[in-house]
Amino acid sequence: MREHSISVTLADKWGEGIVSVEAGETVDIEVRLESVHEGILVSGTADSDYTGVCGRCLTDIVAPVEVEFQELFAYPGEEETDYEVQDDHVDLEILVRDAVVLSLPFQPVCQPDCPGLDSSTGEKLAVSTDAESTAPIDPRWSALRQITDQDAATESRGAEKEES
């Protein structure tokens, strides 16, 4: 068994879409290599930071990503395997890249309760300047609004009669 700590600077960007681990970012890898009958068992963790934008309000975000991985690198033979030992070496790049990219969030958010953008103005709702924003009323419910307005007017007239 052997254990190694490796820090690698990425030459290429890992991931596509809203978030990714950018080229030039450092990935810290703690790996444990164990000899087993079928090949070499590789297990470990990889830590880095991903960058992108919030899926709701489009704010730039940078967040850590940490993944655990474990895979058997089989000795070359008759059976087809995903990972093989090549000249007594194992290539961790594909294994670590796949683990990191698959752990990136599909719809990242800047904070768990991010309200997003206002659908009419496009402003960020988290920093809206309106003291109280009223949602537009669905035209199908506008008849009920008229009833509410009539009830409020009737109550105010009744309160005026009681005062006089």
Side-chain angles (χ1 to χ4, degrees):
M1 178 191 71
R2 293 186 183 168
E3 294 181 348
H4 297 280
S5 295
I6 307 166
S7 289
V8 178
T9 303
L10 299 183
D12 297 323
K13 179 171 99 169
W14 286 1
E16 296 294 328
I18 295 178
V19 295
S20 61
V21 180
E22 295 296 325
E25 188 70 40
T26 301
V27 178
D28 297 319
I29 302 168
E30 299 286 329
V31 67
R32 180 180 190 169
L33 307 166
E34 298 177 67
S35 177
V36 293
H37 181 66
E38 297 85 13
I40 298 174
L41 181 64
V42 176
S43 54
T45 60
D47 301 319
S48 190
D49 291 327
Y50 66 83
T51 58
V53 295
C54 175
R56 295 181 188 164
C57 69
L58 304 177
T59 301
D60 291 336
I61 56 175
V62 176
V65 60
E66 180 178 340
V67 296
E68 293 182 2
F69 55 88
Q70 183 173 29
E71 190 65 48
L72 176 67
F73 282 76
Y75 293 121
E78 296 175 11
E79 293 184 28
E80 190 70 28
T81 60
D82 291 335
Y83 301 102
E84 286 188 352
V85 175
Q86 307 262 327
D87 298 326
D88 294 333
H89 292 84
V90 294
D91 185 7
L92 297 177
E93 181 181 4
I94 296 170
L95 174 64
V96 173
R97 182 188 66 218
D98 289 349
V100 169
V101 170
L102 288 174
S103 71
L104 294 176
F106 185 67
Q107 289 292 328
V109 290
C110 57
Q111 56 190 9
D113 58 344
C114 177
L117 300 174
D118 186 333
S119 60
S120 59
T121 64
E123 287 184 24
K124 293 179 185 175
L125 291 174
V127 293
S128 179
T129 57
D130 295 341
E132 183 179 320
S133 61
T134 58
I137 297 174
D138 190 329
R140 297 173 290 185
W141 296 96
S142 61
L144 293 177
R145 178 72 170 193
Q146 293 171 356
I147 293 170
T148 306
D149 292 342
Q150 289 173 359
D151 289 343
T154 305
E155 286 177 10
S156 66
R157 277 189 246 131
E160 288 174 8
K161 287 181 184 178
E162 289 179 9
E163 288 179 6
S164 44

